[in-house]
Amino acid sequence: MQLVGQRVNKTQQGHRSAAGARGRFGVVLAALLVAGLGTACGSGQSAAPDKAKTAKGAEAAGAAGALGNTAERMKAAQQARIAVAKKWGLAKPALVAPAAPKTKPAITTREGFEVEDGENLPPVFTTVPTEDKVVFLTIDDGAEKDPEFLKMMQELKIPYTAFLSDYLVRDNYPYFKKMQAAGVSLNNHTLNHRYMPGLSYEKQREEICGQQDTIQKHFGKRPTLFRPPYGNYNQDTLLAAKSCGIKAVPLWNAEAFPNRMDWREWDRDLHPGDIILTHFRGREDWKGTMPDMIRHVMKTVTDKGYAVARLEDYL
């Protein structure tokens, strides 16, 4: 009995051992299954965050790359501007004008420049009302036709507005056609550059409307801007100009030469929105060329912290 009991005990111990082993195996298996399921579930649950992180990482990398590319392009553009400025004899490149205003400033006649019964007539002004630190370059007449000037202005990307008198332009319309093709607006400075207040209304109208017709014929567009010769005008001038389709009469607040600037204001300085006048002239009239004049005026403008903007963008 004792032996049987011992065998029974041993058998029971064997069963307990086997049961224990199976129990331990079950625990391990369960753990493995849980771990496997956990991993599988984890894969399903964490795949989206991992993809999201990857997408965000890619997006961030793309943004960083875009910023890097933009910075590189800006750097390259600045280096190109420095190089072209140096080519044309400028110590530093012109400042870049801000984008054209979405809302154009309201233009009114400057105080002291009014004419009798001037209401509803084209405004006469010397400065455009703006807080942008910009000025506007305008060039009159048309006597000098320097190809180097055209090349210089196009390479430097300096905007300007032309006011043409036909008696000086008619011997070389193609020169001004090239100017127009480069984005320059061609405007009215009368047919023959006569002193307007000394003419009758009918004669003034002939001078202004005749130049409107001439510009439209040769350049395909009727101007809306008019500058009277010498800056002189009277009520008949503005009435005639309006009847010919003129919307505004820009004069000037400073005048540029190859070796100096002349000023209208007492402080002898530039102001935001000032209009600068100069002329199509060369060594016959000046101690220098048109490129010399541009070098001087751009040095003045840039040193004072101004950019040259396109006048028509503000009108």
Side-chain angles (χ1 to χ4, degrees):
M1 292 295 295
Q2 186 176 1
L3 293 174
V4 172
Q6 287 176 343
R7 286 197 294 270
V8 169
N9 288 341
K10 287 180 179 178
T11 301
Q12 288 174 345
Q13 288 175 358
H15 288 318
R16 284 197 296 269
S17 298
R22 287 196 299 271
R24 288 194 297 274
F25 176 75
V27 171
V28 171
L29 179 61
L32 288 172
L33 287 172
V34 169
L37 288 172
T39 302
C41 293
S43 298
Q45 291 174 351
S46 64
D50 286 346
K51 287 180 182 178
K53 288 178 183 178
T54 302
K56 286 181 181 179
E59 184 179 351
L67 287 173
N69 290 337
T70 300
E72 287 175 7
R73 285 195 298 269
M74 290 177 66
K75 183 179 179 180
Q78 179 65 5
Q79 288 174 340
R81 292 173 63 246
I82 291 170
V84 75
K86 184 177 180 181
K87 171 185 173 180
W88 288 104
L90 299 176
K92 49 190 172 183
L95 298 176
V96 178
K102 293 181 180 178
T103 303
K104 311 299 183 186
I107 307 294
T108 58
T109 293
R110 176 174 171 162
E111 185 177 355
F113 288 64
E114 304 94 342
V115 297
E116 188 178 355
D117 298 326
E119 190 175 354
N120 298 321
L121 291 178
V124 181
F125 53 100
T126 64
T127 299
V128 174
T130 179
E131 294 182 1
D132 294 342
K133 203 165 183 186
V134 297
V135 293
F136 308 101
L137 183 61
T138 63
I139 310 180
D140 282 10
D141 301 345
E144 181 73 5
K145 302 164 185 73
D146 184 349
E148 284 295 292
F149 167 77
L150 291 184
K151 186 178 179 182
M152 178 184 195
M153 298 301 274
Q154 194 164 359
E155 290 187 5
L156 290 171
K157 296 180 171 58
I158 299 172
Y160 61 102
T161 300
F163 290 89
L164 305 180
S165 293
D166 188 60
Y167 85 106
L168 292 170
V169 171
R170 64 172 65 114
D171 67 339
N172 195 346
Y173 288 128
Y175 177 84
F176 298 95
K177 192 75 175 175
K178 289 179 183 177
M179 188 179 296
Q180 183 186 41
V184 177
S185 174
L186 308 180
N187 292 285
N188 193 323
H189 199 43
T190 74
L191 285 171
N192 298 295
H193 205 274
R194 300 180 66 184
Y195 175 73
M196 300 303 279
L199 303 178
S200 66
Y201 171 79
E202 291 75 16
K203 289 295 183 183
Q204 291 197 55
R205 195 169 186 281
E206 286 177 12
E207 284 286 331
I208 300 169
C209 289
Q211 182 65 342
Q212 292 286 88
D213 296 339
T214 299
I215 291 176
Q216 184 173 32
K217 177 182 177 181
H218 291 284
F219 305 105
K221 188 173 182 181
R222 204 168 182 83
T224 59
L225 304 181
F226 164 67
R227 176 173 286 163
Y230 317 107
N232 296 127
Y233 62 95
N234 59 15
Q235 184 182 25
D236 282 345
T237 312
L238 301 184
L239 286 167
K242 182 179 180 180
S243 76
C244 300
I246 295 300
K247 304 298 184 186
V249 181
L251 296 185
W252 60 91
N253 222 31
E255 184 171 358
F257 298 88
N259 58 345
R260 73 179 195 278
M261 295 283 290
D262 284 352
W263 311 93
R264 188 185 294 273
E265 306 298 341
W266 63 270
D267 59 359
R268 299 178 59 78
D269 204 355
L270 291 175
H271 315 88
D274 273 358
I275 299 170
I276 299 173
L277 161 70
T278 190
H279 293 83
F280 291 101
R281 293 181 184 167
R283 292 191 182 278
E284 291 184 3
D285 302 292
W286 285 339
K287 293 180 179 179
T289 64
M290 290 194 71
D292 291 334
M293 176 274 296
I294 292 298
R295 277 186 279 273
H296 182 76
V297 72
M298 291 310 300
K299 182 181 187 312
T300 302
V301 168
T302 306
D303 285 351
K304 290 179 179 292
Y306 287 85
V308 176
R310 185 173 179 269
L311 178 61
E312 289 78 5
D313 288 344
Y314 284 74
L315 302 182

